[in-house]
């Protein structure tokens, strides 16, 4: 029997939540994202985009970030799209955490790899 390769799933979710400090170098992130529709428009005015509510439930993201002194971090966690539909992930490469102009906020950038699910 020949295996069929998995088909890509394209999605865009905007997670909002909280990060809790578990120690000086470990953070826990909990965030949710409602079902949504991302609309991108390219026209004579340039590029514009916005998100509007979509039908469906919320996705839940739970992860841990292990911080290094240079501002980089390792991250692993899960996104639960629905009961029994969970994606595990881990960061790969140079994940970075830095300050944002609004002092209580931070900005992070990471590339994730599928770790199962």
């Amino acid at each position: 029997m020949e295996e069929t390769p998995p088909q890509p799933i394209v999605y865009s979710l905007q997670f909002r939540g909280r990060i809790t400090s578990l120690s000086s170098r470990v953070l826990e992130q909990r965030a949710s994202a409602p079902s949504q529709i991302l609309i991108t428009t390219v026209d004579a005015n340039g590029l514009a985009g916005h998100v509007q509510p979509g039908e469906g439930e919320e996705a839940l993201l739970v992860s841990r970030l292990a911080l290094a002194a240079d501002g980089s971090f390792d991250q692993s966690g899960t996104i639960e799209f629905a009961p029994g539909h969970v994606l595990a992930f881990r960061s790969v490469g140079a994940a970075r955490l830095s300050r944002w102009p609004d002092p209580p906020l931070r900005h992070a950038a990471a590339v994730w790899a599928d770790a199962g699910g």
Side-chain angles (χ1 to χ4, degrees), residues 10 14 32-33 41 49 52 60-61 76 82 96:
V10 177
Q14 187 175 47
S32 62
T41 306
Q52 66 186 43
L60 176 64
L61 179 144
S76 61
R96 305 286 307 165

Side-chain angles (χ1 to χ4, degrees), residues 24-40:
S24 63
R25 297 272 181 221
V26 178
L27 304 175
E28 181 179 72
Q29 176 184 25
R30 291 186 167 274
S32 62
S35 295
Q36 59 194 25
I37 300 166
L38 172 63
I39 298 173
T40 305

